[in-house]
Amino acid sequence: MNSLQLLTESGFFWQDRIKGFARMNDRVLALWYRMPNELVAESELVQIAKSLLRMVSTQEDGGGFFTVKKDHHPLQVHVHFNRWPHDLKPLFGREESVH
């Protein structure tokens, strides 16, 4: 399984309004989950972030860390990669941003 498969099989889709992800910059992926219970959203976002980092740390991509952004609505988790996962590179061929 690769990073993109993990995201889509977990219900996260590129720039989806409810449960989505987007590239913030060359090393940061933003994940968000819009739901009334922010504790449940945060738990799922943190789990996905940990899984993504565990996946890339076993490859040549390195690893990284994540931060929870509680001041965003919807709640976001930013995954900071040491190197961008190779399987996500084609998806972000052009500059994208979170809005």
Side-chain angles (χ1 to χ4, degrees):
M1 178 180 292
N2 64 33
S3 303
L4 183 57
Q5 288 172 318
L6 175 66
L7 288 166
T8 55
E9 288 181 10
S10 299
F12 288 86
F13 298 99
W14 182 55
Q15 294 192 338
D16 186 81
R17 292 190 54 177
I18 304 297
K19 196 173 183 183
F21 64 93
R23 177 179 176 235
M24 297 282 298
N25 62 40
D26 288 342
R27 304 231 179 182
V28 180
L29 181 71
L31 304 169
W32 60 88
Y33 192 3
R34 183 184 309 267
M35 68 177 305
N37 187 334
E38 284 199 349
L39 290 176
V40 173
E42 180 179 352
S43 175
E44 186 163 347
L45 289 167
V46 166
Q47 184 61 36
I48 294 298
K50 287 179 178 178
S51 295
L52 283 169
L53 291 171
R54 193 169 32 251
M55 184 178 294
V56 300
S57 69
T58 60
Q59 301 168 354
E60 59 194 48
D61 296 307
F65 63 96
F66 68 90
T67 56
V68 177
K69 301 294 186 178
K70 293 185 183 225
D71 57 338
H72 286 264
H73 186 73
L75 179 76
Q76 290 186 10
V77 167
H78 292 179
V79 183
H80 301 256
F81 296 104
N82 291 338
R83 274 187 240 124
W84 194 255
H86 66 292
D87 62 299
L88 291 177
K89 285 180 183 176
L91 187 61
F92 303 110
R94 61 186 190 284
E95 198 64 31
E96 301 293 342
S97 63
V98 175
H99 38 264

